[in-house]
PDB file of all heavy atoms in Angstrom:
ATOM      1  N   LYS A 201     188.958 -40.955  57.616  1.00  0.00           N
ATOM      2  CA  LYS A 201     188.363 -40.367  58.829  1.00  0.00           C
ATOM      3  C   LYS A 201     187.542 -41.410  59.584  1.00  0.00           C
ATOM      4  O   LYS A 201     187.673 -41.571  60.810  1.00  0.00           O
ATOM      5  CB  LYS A 201     187.487 -39.171  58.452  1.00  0.00           C
ATOM      6  CG  LYS A 201     186.657 -38.570  59.585  1.00  0.00           C
ATOM      7  CD  LYS A 201     185.797 -37.423  59.072  1.00  0.00           C
ATOM      8  CE  LYS A 201     184.982 -36.789  60.199  1.00  0.00           C
ATOM      9  NZ  LYS A 201     184.007 -37.713  60.805  1.00  0.00           N
ATOM     10  N   TYR A 202     186.675 -42.131  58.866  1.00  0.00           N
ATOM     11  CA  TYR A 202     185.805 -43.110  59.520  1.00  0.00           C
ATOM     12  C   TYR A 202     186.555 -44.379  59.918  1.00  0.00           C
ATOM     13  O   TYR A 202     186.244 -44.993  60.946  1.00  0.00           O
ATOM     14  CB  TYR A 202     184.620 -43.437  58.618  1.00  0.00           C
ATOM     15  CG  TYR A 202     183.631 -42.301  58.514  1.00  0.00           C
ATOM     16  CD1 TYR A 202     183.225 -41.794  57.289  1.00  0.00           C
ATOM     17  CD2 TYR A 202     183.107 -41.719  59.664  1.00  0.00           C
ATOM     18  CE1 TYR A 202     182.324 -40.734  57.210  1.00  0.00           C
ATOM     19  CE2 TYR A 202     182.210 -40.670  59.601  1.00  0.00           C
ATOM     20  CZ  TYR A 202     181.823 -40.177  58.360  1.00  0.00           C
ATOM     21  OH  TYR A 202     180.937 -39.130  58.299  1.00  0.00           O
ATOM     22  N   ILE A 203     187.537 -44.745  59.127  1.00  0.00           N
ATOM     23  CA  ILE A 203     188.345 -45.920  59.489  1.00  0.00           C
ATOM     24  C   ILE A 203     189.122 -45.637  60.776  1.00  0.00           C
ATOM     25  O   ILE A 203     189.209 -46.476  61.667  1.00  0.00           O
ATOM     26  CB  ILE A 203     189.302 -46.289  58.330  1.00  0.00           C
ATOM     27  CG1 ILE A 203     188.472 -46.812  57.138  1.00  0.00           C
ATOM     28  CG2 ILE A 203     190.317 -47.333  58.777  1.00  0.00           C
ATOM     29  CD1 ILE A 203     189.272 -47.007  55.873  1.00  0.00           C
ATOM     30  N   ASP A 204     189.648 -44.414  60.884  1.00  0.00           N
ATOM     31  CA  ASP A 204     190.380 -44.024  62.096  1.00  0.00           C
ATOM     32  C   ASP A 204     189.468 -43.986  63.320  1.00  0.00           C
ATOM     33  O   ASP A 204     189.914 -44.149  64.455  1.00  0.00           O
ATOM     34  CB  ASP A 204     191.027 -42.647  61.909  1.00  0.00           C
ATOM     35  CG  ASP A 204     192.178 -42.673  60.917  1.00  0.00           C
ATOM     36  OD1 ASP A 204     192.660 -43.782  60.595  1.00  0.00           O
ATOM     37  OD2 ASP A 204     192.586 -41.586  60.441  1.00  0.00           O
ATOM     38  N   GLU A 205     188.165 -43.752  63.071  1.00  0.00           N
ATOM     39  CA  GLU A 205     187.203 -43.703  64.172  1.00  0.00           C
ATOM     40  C   GLU A 205     186.723 -45.088  64.580  1.00  0.00           C
ATOM     41  O   GLU A 205     185.914 -45.214  65.498  1.00  0.00           O
ATOM     42  CB  GLU A 205     186.010 -42.825  63.787  1.00  0.00           C
ATOM     43  CG  GLU A 205     186.348 -41.335  63.678  1.00  0.00           C
ATOM     44  CD  GLU A 205     185.182 -40.492  63.187  1.00  0.00           C
ATOM     45  OE1 GLU A 205     184.098 -41.082  62.933  1.00  0.00           O
ATOM     46  OE2 GLU A 205     185.350 -39.272  63.046  1.00  0.00           O
ATOM     47  N   GLY A 206     187.208 -46.130  63.876  1.00  0.00           N
ATOM     48  CA  GLY A 206     186.879 -47.492  64.268  1.00  0.00           C
ATOM     49  C   GLY A 206     185.931 -48.234  63.349  1.00  0.00           C
ATOM     50  O   GLY A 206     185.591 -49.383  63.612  1.00  0.00           O
ATOM     51  N   MET A 207     185.490 -47.594  62.270  1.00  0.00           N
ATOM     52  CA  MET A 207     184.597 -48.275  61.324  1.00  0.00           C
ATOM     53  C   MET A 207     185.397 -49.275  60.485  1.00  0.00           C
ATOM     54  O   MET A 207     186.586 -49.076  60.212  1.00  0.00           O
ATOM     55  CB  MET A 207     183.948 -47.269  60.364  1.00  0.00           C
ATOM     56  CG  MET A 207     182.736 -46.573  60.896  1.00  0.00           C
ATOM     57  SD  MET A 207     181.908 -45.645  59.551  1.00  0.00           S
ATOM     58  CE  MET A 207     180.593 -44.871  60.471  1.00  0.00           C
ATOM     59  N   SER A 208     184.724 -50.346  60.077  1.00  0.00           N
ATOM     60  CA  SER A 208     185.338 -51.243  59.100  1.00  0.00           C
ATOM     61  C   SER A 208     185.373 -50.536  57.750  1.00  0.00           C
ATOM     62  O   SER A 208     184.646 -49.557  57.538  1.00  0.00           O
ATOM     63  CB  SER A 208     184.523 -52.532  58.978  1.00  0.00           C
ATOM     64  OG  SER A 208     183.251 -52.264  58.375  1.00  0.00           O
ATOM     65  N   LYS A 209     186.216 -51.013  56.847  1.00  0.00           N
ATOM     66  CA  LYS A 209     186.303 -50.364  55.535  1.00  0.00           C
ATOM     67  C   LYS A 209     184.969 -50.445  54.805  1.00  0.00           C
ATOM     68  O   LYS A 209     184.541 -49.485  54.150  1.00  0.00           O
ATOM     69  CB  LYS A 209     187.402 -51.014  54.699  1.00  0.00           C
ATOM     70  CG  LYS A 209     187.665 -50.291  53.389  1.00  0.00           C
ATOM     71  CD  LYS A 209     188.793 -50.929  52.594  1.00  0.00           C
ATOM     72  CE  LYS A 209     190.139 -50.700  53.249  1.00  0.00           C
ATOM     73  NZ  LYS A 209     191.252 -51.180  52.375  1.00  0.00           N
ATOM     74  N   LYS A 210     184.263 -51.558  54.955  1.00  0.00           N
ATOM     75  CA  LYS A 210     182.957 -51.717  54.300  1.00  0.00           C
ATOM     76  C   LYS A 210     181.959 -50.685  54.818  1.00  0.00           C
ATOM     77  O   LYS A 210     181.233 -50.057  54.040  1.00  0.00           O
ATOM     78  CB  LYS A 210     182.438 -53.126  54.543  1.00  0.00           C
ATOM     79  CG  LYS A 210     181.092 -53.416  53.874  1.00  0.00           C
ATOM     80  CD  LYS A 210     180.665 -54.856  54.138  1.00  0.00           C
ATOM     81  CE  LYS A 210     179.316 -55.144  53.477  1.00  0.00           C
ATOM     82  NZ  LYS A 210     178.875 -56.549  53.753  1.00  0.00           N
ATOM     83  N   GLU A 211     181.920 -50.513  56.141  1.00  0.00           N
ATOM     84  CA  GLU A 211     181.007 -49.530  56.741  1.00  0.00           C
ATOM     85  C   GLU A 211     181.371 -48.112  56.331  1.00  0.00           C
ATOM     86  O   GLU A 211     180.496 -47.281  56.053  1.00  0.00           O
ATOM     87  CB  GLU A 211     181.052 -49.644  58.269  1.00  0.00           C
ATOM     88  CG  GLU A 211     180.427 -50.918  58.815  1.00  0.00           C
ATOM     89  CD  GLU A 211     180.640 -51.062  60.310  1.00  0.00           C
ATOM     90  OE1 GLU A 211     181.686 -50.565  60.817  1.00  0.00           O
ATOM     91  OE2 GLU A 211     179.780 -51.665  60.968  1.00  0.00           O
ATOM     92  N   ALA A 212     182.668 -47.824  56.284  1.00  0.00           N
ATOM     93  CA  ALA A 212     183.140 -46.488  55.917  1.00  0.00           C
ATOM     94  C   ALA A 212     182.764 -46.149  54.480  1.00  0.00           C
ATOM     95  O   ALA A 212     182.347 -45.031  54.172  1.00  0.00           O
ATOM     96  CB  ALA A 212     184.645 -46.386  56.119  1.00  0.00           C
ATOM     97  N   ILE A 213     182.905 -47.135  53.594  1.00  0.00           N
ATOM     98  CA  ILE A 213     182.555 -46.919  52.183  1.00  0.00           C
ATOM     99  C   ILE A 213     181.064 -46.601  52.058  1.00  0.00           C
ATOM    100  O   ILE A 213     180.662 -45.675  51.335  1.00  0.00           O
ATOM    101  CB  ILE A 213     182.916 -48.166  51.346  1.00  0.00           C
ATOM    102  CG1 ILE A 213     184.444 -48.272  51.203  1.00  0.00           C
ATOM    103  CG2 ILE A 213     182.250 -48.109  49.965  1.00  0.00           C
ATOM    104  CD1 ILE A 213     184.916 -49.577  50.586  1.00  0.00           C
ATOM    105  N   LYS A 214     180.257 -47.346  52.760  1.00  0.00           N
ATOM    106  CA  LYS A 214     178.804 -47.124  52.724  1.00  0.00           C
ATOM    107  C   LYS A 214     178.443 -45.739  53.253  1.00  0.00           C
ATOM    108  O   LYS A 214     177.621 -45.029  52.655  1.00  0.00           O
ATOM    109  CB  LYS A 214     178.112 -48.202  53.550  1.00  0.00           C
ATOM    110  CG  LYS A 214     176.591 -48.131  53.519  1.00  0.00           C
ATOM    111  CD  LYS A 214     175.991 -49.276  54.333  1.00  0.00           C
ATOM    112  CE  LYS A 214     174.468 -49.207  54.318  1.00  0.00           C
ATOM    113  NZ  LYS A 214     173.866 -50.319  55.119  1.00  0.00           N
ATOM    114  N   MET A 215     179.068 -45.314  54.360  1.00  0.00           N
ATOM    115  CA  MET A 215     178.794 -44.014  54.952  1.00  0.00           C
ATOM    116  C   MET A 215     179.227 -42.875  54.043  1.00  0.00           C
ATOM    117  O   MET A 215     178.495 -41.900  53.842  1.00  0.00           O
ATOM    118  CB  MET A 215     179.491 -43.894  56.300  1.00  0.00           C
ATOM    119  CG  MET A 215     179.268 -42.554  56.999  1.00  0.00           C
ATOM    120  SD  MET A 215     177.524 -42.284  57.445  1.00  0.00           S
ATOM    121  CE  MET A 215     177.373 -43.423  58.824  1.00  0.00           C
ATOM    122  N   VAL A 216     180.408 -42.977  53.470  1.00  0.00           N
ATOM    123  CA  VAL A 216     180.923 -41.919  52.588  1.00  0.00           C
ATOM    124  C   VAL A 216     180.049 -41.773  51.348  1.00  0.00           C
ATOM    125  O   VAL A 216     179.744 -40.657  50.918  1.00  0.00           O
ATOM    126  CB  VAL A 216     182.386 -42.209  52.191  1.00  0.00           C
ATOM    127  CG1 VAL A 216     182.845 -41.259  51.076  1.00  0.00           C
ATOM    128  CG2 VAL A 216     183.299 -42.072  53.411  1.00  0.00           C
ATOM    129  N   ALA A 217     179.630 -42.896  50.768  1.00  0.00           N
ATOM    130  CA  ALA A 217     178.762 -42.842  49.589  1.00  0.00           C
ATOM    131  C   ALA A 217     177.440 -42.143  49.912  1.00  0.00           C
ATOM    132  O   ALA A 217     176.943 -41.322  49.133  1.00  0.00           O
ATOM    133  CB  ALA A 217     178.513 -44.259  49.071  1.00  0.00           C
ATOM    134  N   LYS A 218     176.888 -42.457  51.084  1.00  0.00           N
ATOM    135  CA  LYS A 218     175.624 -41.845  51.497  1.00  0.00           C
ATOM    136  C   LYS A 218     175.782 -40.349  51.708  1.00  0.00           C
ATOM    137  O   LYS A 218     174.965 -39.550  51.254  1.00  0.00           O
ATOM    138  CB  LYS A 218     175.125 -42.508  52.774  1.00  0.00           C
ATOM    139  CG  LYS A 218     173.823 -41.927  53.307  1.00  0.00           C
ATOM    140  CD  LYS A 218     173.392 -42.621  54.603  1.00  0.00           C
ATOM    141  CE  LYS A 218     172.116 -42.010  55.149  1.00  0.00           C
ATOM    142  NZ  LYS A 218     171.709 -42.665  56.434  1.00  0.00           N
ATOM    143  N   GLU A 219     176.849 -39.945  52.415  1.00  0.00           N
ATOM    144  CA  GLU A 219     177.044 -38.541  52.734  1.00  0.00           C
ATOM    145  C   GLU A 219     177.361 -37.698  51.507  1.00  0.00           C
ATOM    146  O   GLU A 219     176.988 -36.528  51.441  1.00  0.00           O
ATOM    147  CB  GLU A 219     178.153 -38.396  53.778  1.00  0.00           C
ATOM    148  CG  GLU A 219     177.744 -38.919  55.142  1.00  0.00           C
ATOM    149  CD  GLU A 219     178.824 -38.760  56.190  1.00  0.00           C
ATOM    150  OE1 GLU A 219     180.004 -38.613  55.815  1.00  0.00           O
ATOM    151  OE2 GLU A 219     178.478 -38.788  57.381  1.00  0.00           O
ATOM    152  N   ARG A 220     178.027 -38.291  50.533  1.00  0.00           N
ATOM    153  CA  ARG A 220     178.378 -37.531  49.326  1.00  0.00           C
ATOM    154  C   ARG A 220     177.349 -37.667  48.218  1.00  0.00           C
ATOM    155  O   ARG A 220     177.400 -36.956  47.222  1.00  0.00           O
ATOM    156  CB  ARG A 220     179.745 -37.983  48.812  1.00  0.00           C
ATOM    157  CG  ARG A 220     180.908 -37.512  49.686  1.00  0.00           C
ATOM    158  CD  ARG A 220     182.237 -37.997  49.144  1.00  0.00           C
ATOM    159  NE  ARG A 220     183.342 -37.455  49.919  1.00  0.00           N
ATOM    160  CZ  ARG A 220     184.100 -36.427  49.545  1.00  0.00           C
ATOM    161  NH1 ARG A 220     183.854 -35.816  48.395  1.00  0.00           N
ATOM    162  NH2 ARG A 220     185.097 -36.021  50.306  1.00  0.00           N
ATOM    163  N   GLY A 221     176.432 -38.621  48.368  1.00  0.00           N
ATOM    164  CA  GLY A 221     175.408 -38.813  47.342  1.00  0.00           C
ATOM    165  C   GLY A 221     175.966 -39.382  46.058  1.00  0.00           C
ATOM    166  O   GLY A 221     175.525 -39.014  44.961  1.00  0.00           O
ATOM    167  N   ILE A 222     176.934 -40.284  46.204  1.00  0.00           N
ATOM    168  CA  ILE A 222     177.556 -40.895  45.021  1.00  0.00           C
ATOM    169  C   ILE A 222     177.458 -42.416  45.133  1.00  0.00           C
ATOM    170  O   ILE A 222     177.255 -42.961  46.220  1.00  0.00           O
ATOM    171  CB  ILE A 222     179.024 -40.460  44.862  1.00  0.00           C
ATOM    172  CG1 ILE A 222     179.843 -40.890  46.102  1.00  0.00           C
ATOM    173  CG2 ILE A 222     179.121 -38.954  44.657  1.00  0.00           C
ATOM    174  CD1 ILE A 222     181.321 -40.556  46.002  1.00  0.00           C
ATOM    175  N   PRO A 223     177.628 -43.144  44.009  1.00  0.00           N
ATOM    176  CA  PRO A 223     177.538 -44.607  44.051  1.00  0.00           C
ATOM    177  C   PRO A 223     178.625 -45.222  44.931  1.00  0.00           C
ATOM    178  O   PRO A 223     179.750 -44.722  44.987  1.00  0.00           O
ATOM    179  CB  PRO A 223     177.728 -45.016  42.582  1.00  0.00           C
ATOM    180  CG  PRO A 223     177.354 -43.808  41.797  1.00  0.00           C
ATOM    181  CD  PRO A 223     177.785 -42.646  42.632  1.00  0.00           C
ATOM    182  N   LYS A 224     178.285 -46.324  45.588  1.00  0.00           N
ATOM    183  CA  LYS A 224     179.243 -46.982  46.473  1.00  0.00           C
ATOM    184  C   LYS A 224     180.470 -47.484  45.721  1.00  0.00           C
ATOM    185  O   LYS A 224     181.579 -47.484  46.248  1.00  0.00           O
ATOM    186  CB  LYS A 224     178.566 -48.151  47.200  1.00  0.00           C
ATOM    187  CG  LYS A 224     177.731 -47.728  48.395  1.00  0.00           C
ATOM    188  CD  LYS A 224     177.351 -48.907  49.277  1.00  0.00           C
ATOM    189  CE  LYS A 224     176.428 -49.877  48.547  1.00  0.00           C
ATOM    190  NZ  LYS A 224     175.970 -50.968  49.463  1.00  0.00           N
ATOM    191  N   GLN A 225     180.269 -47.901  44.448  1.00  0.00           N
ATOM    192  CA  GLN A 225     181.403 -48.434  43.698  1.00  0.00           C
ATOM    193  C   GLN A 225     182.473 -47.371  43.440  1.00  0.00           C
ATOM    194  O   GLN A 225     183.659 -47.678  43.340  1.00  0.00           O
ATOM    195  CB  GLN A 225     180.964 -49.072  42.378  1.00  0.00           C
ATOM    196  CG  GLN A 225     180.153 -48.176  41.459  1.00  0.00           C
ATOM    197  CD  GLN A 225     178.662 -48.363  41.641  1.00  0.00           C
ATOM    198  OE1 GLN A 225     178.217 -48.600  42.767  1.00  0.00           O
ATOM    199  NE2 GLN A 225     177.906 -48.269  40.562  1.00  0.00           N
ATOM    200  N   ASP A 226     182.015 -46.079  43.359  1.00  0.00           N
ATOM    201  CA  ASP A 226     182.990 -44.998  43.173  1.00  0.00           C
ATOM    202  C   ASP A 226     183.886 -44.878  44.398  1.00  0.00           C
ATOM    203  O   ASP A 226     185.090 -44.572  44.289  1.00  0.00           O
ATOM    204  CB  ASP A 226     182.292 -43.675  42.901  1.00  0.00           C
ATOM    205  CG  ASP A 226     181.585 -43.655  41.548  1.00  0.00           C
ATOM    206  OD1 ASP A 226     181.775 -44.612  40.775  1.00  0.00           O
ATOM    207  OD2 ASP A 226     180.854 -42.681  41.272  1.00  0.00           O
TER     208      ASP A 226
END
C-alpha cells in the first residue's frame, strides 16, 4: 500500500512497523 503511494521500501517498512506495533525486522 505504502510502496504504491510512493514511499521507498525502507520508509514503508518503518511506517508499517510503527502502525502495527511490531519490530521492524519482522
